[in-house]
Amino acid sequence: MTQAEPRQGGVTLTRTGADFLIWSHHAEKIELCLFDHTGEEEIARLPLERTEGDLFRLHVEGVHEGTRYGYRAHGRYSPEHGHWFDPSKLLIDPYAKELDRPFRHDHRLCVFGEETAPLVPKAIVTRDDPAKVSPPVFGPGAFIYEVAVKPFTWLHPDVPEVQCGTIAALAHPAVIAHLKRIGVDAVELMPIVAWIDERHLPSLGLTNGWGYNPIALMAIDPRLAPGGVKELRDTVAALHAEGIGVILDLVFNHTGESDKMGATLSLRGLDNLSCYRHLPDNPGVLVNDTGTGNTLACDHLYVRQLIVDTLRHFVLNTGVDGFRFDLGTILGRTATGFHSSSRTLHAISADEVLRDRVLIAEPWDIGLGGYQLGNFPEPYLEWNDRARDTMRRYWRGDSHMTGQIATALAGSSDVFARHGGTQTRTVNFVAAHDGFTLLDLVSHSHKHNGQNGENNRDGHDENFSWNNGVEGETSDRTVIHNRRRDVMALLSTLFASRGTVMLTAGDEFGRSQRGNNNAYCQDNELTWLDWKNADEALIEHTAFLSHMRKRFNVFDKNGFFSGDGDIEWLSASGEPMTIPEWEAANGATLTMVLATKDLQKKKLVRLAIAFNRSQVQQEIALPVAPGRKWQRLATGRSQTSLRLKPRSVEFFVEQ
């Protein structure tokens, strides 16, 4: 399998030099700037030739692998008409695959006429080195582990200092051992491509630690991968060798060029009017369906092809298994709103390189009609915030939640069967990077984002959280015990659900952000994982749950239950739930019984998962077939009296 030559951009090395290709519809002239090996001194400035299809081309003799370069685009500077051409701005090639340094915000990047070559990274000419591309190493029901690369290993005691905080650290034996201990099927790397800080952060002494503000869509940020593409390729290969897949969280909804006060770094300077959305009757106003100041025009042919070529690059040159699309609704937007049949969504899933990759959409943005949970086409999986909130509200003790929790546990057919679907496409989670950590969810009744410099205005206000009697940190042992108990119950509920499940790194050992539910700008101890103080009891519980999912094959299926013997819902009496029990305001218990194959014992069994959300112990009954008995899965002991501890989930297998 080989990558097709990019249709609209990139650098191709030849026997004697290199061919440069870049697209712009509105530019009057584009110049290639070559730099010395330090990237500091411009040594040549060469005009490209405009050719058919608004492509600018140039062959340069003597260019070699490692050459530093950038572009300057000439044309009309008229922001009120959507044009931002400014030849004083050195621009990053949208097809650049490596950069020589990270982006740093500087006010001069935002000022017309200010020279920016000393301020911005230079693209590096590279030669593709194809990876071994194999089918994704995980399937339905996978356990995805969301990882912010730097915070994950920055404080890891076993990772060499030179590797801490890098992609390479993910391949360290100690890290892999932890992933295998808790049964991770795939790591989902939060954005790794080159990003820039939001312009308000430097004055606050803050930096963006999450990466959701990209500039170069193909180039990995040098802070995370000093070894460039090769570092990611080698890490993917190392994880694949251990049966662990890799998903990249990519941002195609906006760029760090931001609103009209933002920087000119790449697409804005090459063709702002084509690459970003503007009001139809006012091209000087950027559409802000993302809340970040701009929105990529994903239905434009050039942007669509850039997205597809970016995905192809990461598959062909690094071997990744799939992608998660931040604010994925933008990918389906046109001038008339979201369309599940959009050309961009189809172009991704139909591409010969991408068609077998795992594709995950965050199915919302903040634009009109932006909430599209359940409306993406197959094969896209979707982040399910409705199931997230249901799990939270059930354990918080909200009323009339029994039916809702059952629906979520069974794969959310109310969402994913709406358009005739027969399989769930849900990605279930209780907490993610965006919002409270799992421990903070049961330790805070409201957010505490004061350190972000926005007077606690940022971040979600409604978190469906509770504090177990004390807000925030405490030395009260009873409160600490109750919080761990609640985290265990939430983890159990998540891993008992049908569909793909996702856990954010560190939530399995009790990480806290001290109530900050929007910690994107806290690249410090608040977000760095404290491995030395990990809660071993929580880790063991997570490992138990993950390996339970792998033992029973009911969890590696994604079809909806028929109710014809494959699933039963029982009350505390062991009898099928009645309508009054389903509708009870404060039902304390619920038992889900699943018909499944026990892959460990190689036989068909029933698995009972019993929930007790009350503050007191509950006794339940389970129907026993002749000659059979129930064993508590955690202990392997046969049970005659089935008692559920307060605020707990228990697993029983019929033997």
Side-chain angles (χ1 to χ4, degrees), residues 475-534:
S475 58
D476 188 312
R477 292 185 179 181
T478 299
V479 173
I480 293 171
H481 167 79
N482 290 344
R483 289 174 176 176
R484 176 190 284 163
R485 178 191 63 184
D486 285 358
V487 167
M488 286 184 169
L490 287 162
L491 285 169
S492 296
T493 306
L494 173 64
F495 279 83
S497 65
R498 170 155 285 202
T500 300
V501 300
M502 188 193 76
L503 187 69
T504 298
D507 276 354
E508 77 278 18
F509 59 64
R511 75 184 181 105
S512 173
Q513 292 172 175
R514 297 197 290 276
N516 190 321
N517 75 350
N518 189 33
Y520 78 100
C521 58
Q522 300 295 330
D523 184 14
N524 51 47
E525 290 85 354
L526 194 69
T527 57
W528 301 339
L529 298 197
D530 184 3
W531 291 87
K532 291 183 178 179
N533 292 301

Side-chain angles (χ1 to χ4, degrees), residues 180-191:
K180 291 177 72 68
R181 176 185 178 187
I182 62 172
V184 169
D185 294 310
V187 293
E188 180 176 298
L189 306 186
M190 286 166 59

Side-chain angles (χ1 to χ4, degrees), residues 10 33 77 129 170 172 179 182 192 195 216 321-322 398 454:
C33 299
Y77 180 79
D129 186 4
L170 301 175
H172 188 277
L179 298 177
I182 62 172
I192 61 172
W195 74 86
D321 302 82
D398 290 15
E454 298 184 46

Side-chain angles (χ1 to χ4, degrees), residues 91-141:
L91 305 175
I92 302 299
D93 182 359
Y95 277 77
K97 294 173 182 174
E98 289 192 13
L99 301 179
D100 68 348
R101 69 198 74 180
F103 286 96
R104 303 291 185 193
H105 183 77
D106 188 291
H107 77 280
R108 288 171 289 180
L109 300 173
C110 311
V111 180
F112 176 75
E114 287 278 0
E115 175 60 47
T116 61
L119 307 175
V120 299
K122 313 303 182 295
I124 301 175
V125 174
T126 61
R127 189 184 304 275
D128 285 346
D129 186 4
K132 178 183 178 182
V133 179
S134 56
V137 300
F138 58 96

Side-chain angles (χ1 to χ4, degrees), residues 11 13 35-39 63-69 98 100 122-127:
V11 181
L13 285 164
F35 291 82
D36 69 359
H37 70 282
T38 69
V63 169
H64 52 79
E65 195 171 354
T67 297
R68 270 68 168 162
Y69 73 99
E98 289 192 13
D100 68 348
K122 313 303 182 295
I124 301 175
V125 174
T126 61
R127 189 184 304 275

Side-chain angles (χ1 to χ4, degrees), residues 388 390-396 430 438-439 441-442 466 483-496 541 545 647 649:
R388 175 200 67 193
T390 293
M391 293 181 199
R392 292 181 177 191
R393 294 181 60 208
Y394 179 80
W395 286 103
R396 188 173 69 167
V430 181
L438 194 53
L439 180 60
L441 180 70
V442 302
W466 61 100
R483 289 174 176 176
R484 176 190 284 163
R485 178 191 63 184
D486 285 358
V487 167
M488 286 184 169
L490 287 162
L491 285 169
S492 296
T493 306
L494 173 64
F495 279 83
H541 185 63
L545 294 169
R647 308 284 289 172
V649 180

Side-chain angles (χ1 to χ4, degrees), residues 569-578 581 589-591 618-624 642 644:
W569 300 101
L570 307 179
S571 66
S573 67
E575 297 295 324
M577 291 280 289
T578 64
E581 286 170 331
T589 67
L590 175 69
T591 301
Q618 299 283 341
E619 293 219 14
I620 65 167
L622 290 173
V624 182
L642 303 180
L644 303 181

